[in-house]
């Protein structure tokens, strides 16, 4: 630890607080997992999403909570738009710009799905790997390390 004051007592207290926070995180994770497994209404959605390689329980819990268990959506395009992953074109008159994601949707869902999407490509999830290959052929941008 780098500090102007290095008191052994303070370092011990900080380590105890850190250990307490780590224990609370584990306990909260277990409580979330138990809740998700016990609620029958969510069980089917949770099991289906957990089957996707790269998606963990925390990511699935955030996704299900952020979309209200996908109620209110008629198709996949609506979920994509809600998350802000829909594509928008940047063009005006004769000028044609790049296409990008809109980012107008739920930023928590986009943030929580970033790493699982990379892992799904690395693990060879068929639909994710095919999308990555298609985009890579066009942009030649490799996966981040």
């Amino acid at each position: 630890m780098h500090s102007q004051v290095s008191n052994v007592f303070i370092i011990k207290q900080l380590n105890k607080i850190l250990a307490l926070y780590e224990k609370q995180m584990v306990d909260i994770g277990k409580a979330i997992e138990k809740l998700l497994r016990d609620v029958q209404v969510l069980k089917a959605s949770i099991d289906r999403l957990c089957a996707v390689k790269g998606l963990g329980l925390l990511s699935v819990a955030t996704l299900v909570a952020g979309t209200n268990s996908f109620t209110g959506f008629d198709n996949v395009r609506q979920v994509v738009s809600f998350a802000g992953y829909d594509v928008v074109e940047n063009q005006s008159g004769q000028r044609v710009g790049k296409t990008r994601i809109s980012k107008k949707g739920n930023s928590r869902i986009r943030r929580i799905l970033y790493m699982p999407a990379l892992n799904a490509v690395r693990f060879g999830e068929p639909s994710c790997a095919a999308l990555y290959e298609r985009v890579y052929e066009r942009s030649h941008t490799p996966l981040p390390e």
Side-chain angles (χ1 to χ4, degrees), residues 82-140:
F82 180 78
Y85 278 127
D86 52 332
V87 177
V88 292
E89 293 184 35
N90 183 10
Q91 64 183 12
S92 174
Q94 297 294 323
R95 185 186 64 77
V96 176
K98 291 185 177 180
T99 58
R100 300 179 184 266
I101 63 170
S102 71
K103 295 186 182 177
K104 289 185 180 179
N106 190 321
S107 62
R108 287 188 187 109
I109 293 175
R110 281 195 313 277
R111 186 178 66 232
I112 203 73
L113 287 179
Y114 177 72
M115 284 308 290
L118 295 179
N119 287 333
V121 171
R122 284 192 180 111
F123 291 145
E125 186 66 31
S127 58
C128 297
L131 175 64
Y132 170 74
E133 290 298 325
R134 191 181 73 204
V135 172
Y136 181 76
E137 288 296 320
R138 185 180 52 201
S139 67
H140 299 292

Side-chain angles (χ1 to χ4, degrees), residues 28-102:
I28 290 171
K30 288 179 182 176
I32 289 172
E33 184 175 343
K34 183 180 181 327
L35 177 71
L36 293 174
R37 299 292 180 200
D38 289 347
V39 177
Q40 292 299 318
V41 176
L42 300 177
K43 189 162 177 41
S45 297
I46 298 293
D47 290 341
R48 215 171 320 127
L49 288 169
C50 282
V52 176
K53 293 178 185 175
L55 275 178
L57 195 59
L58 179 60
S59 302
V60 169
T62 304
L63 187 60
V64 169
T67 60
N68 196 20
S69 191
F70 300 102
T71 58
F73 299 106
D74 294 329
N75 55 44
V76 175
R77 288 183 307 220
Q78 289 177 345
V79 177
V80 169
S81 179
F82 180 78
Y85 278 127
D86 52 332
V87 177
V88 292
E89 293 184 35
N90 183 10
Q91 64 183 12
S92 174
Q94 297 294 323
R95 185 186 64 77
V96 176
K98 291 185 177 180
T99 58
R100 300 179 184 266
I101 63 170
S102 71

Side-chain angles (χ1 to χ4, degrees), residues 1-8 10-11 14:
M1 183 178 257
H2 302 286
S3 151
Q4 190 173 9
V5 178
S6 61
N7 188 338
V8 175
I10 293 173
I11 293 172
L14 291 174

Side-chain angles (χ1 to χ4, degrees), residues 21 23-34:
Y21 286 153
K23 183 184 179 308
Q24 286 178 342
M25 284 180 56
V26 169
D27 292 344
I28 290 171
K30 288 179 182 176
I32 289 172
E33 184 175 343
K34 183 180 181 327

